[in-house]
Amino acid sequence: MSDIETVHVIVEGRVQGVGYRAWCADAAVSRGLSGWVRNRKTGAVEAVLSGPSDAVSDMLQHLWRGPTFARVRAVTQTRQDAEPDGDFEVRETT
């Protein structure tokens, strides 16, 4: 069985106003991940992804694609110790 991994992610580019949060939430749920996603006032999208390391790794690669009209220019990740529990959620903009 895979180890559990948790990462904090900032996605930059044209990622707001294109359905990126909903797309991200669907992709995370389909991979069995917990965590959250939200827009930032800076124009970026922020997320915490937690689950089996192979599923997190796959999701990190998938973040570069995004929905049809997204144009991702950077995905920055930082490992975290805390593991979110419960369902994956879309949060309000901060």
Side-chain angles (χ1 to χ4, degrees):
M1 178 162 203
S2 298
D3 292 329
I4 298 299
E5 182 177 1
T6 302
V7 293
H8 176 259
V9 180
I10 302 291
V11 183
E12 297 174 285
R14 186 170 63 191
V15 292
Q16 290 190 17
V18 296
Y20 198 95
R21 288 180 302 163
W23 172 89
C24 180
D26 288 345
V29 168
S30 74
R31 288 166 174 76
L33 300 176
S34 60
W36 51 265
V37 62
R38 66 182 170 201
N39 285 341
R40 306 232 3 220
K41 290 180 183 172
T42 62
V45 168
E46 176 182 26
V48 170
L49 310 166
S50 185
S53 59
D54 57 341
V56 170
S57 179
D58 183 55
M59 182 68 186
L60 289 170
Q61 290 301 313
H62 198 61
L63 289 175
W64 282 95
R65 193 169 113 214
T68 303
F69 296 107
R71 297 293 175 260
V72 177
R73 111 172 155 258
V75 177
T76 307
Q77 63 183 7
T78 308
R79 288 183 151 238
Q80 286 194 322
D81 292 329
E83 298 175 19
D85 55 354
D87 295 333
F88 197 89
E89 60 184 54
V90 176
R91 293 188 174 174
E92 295 296 317
T93 300
T94 62

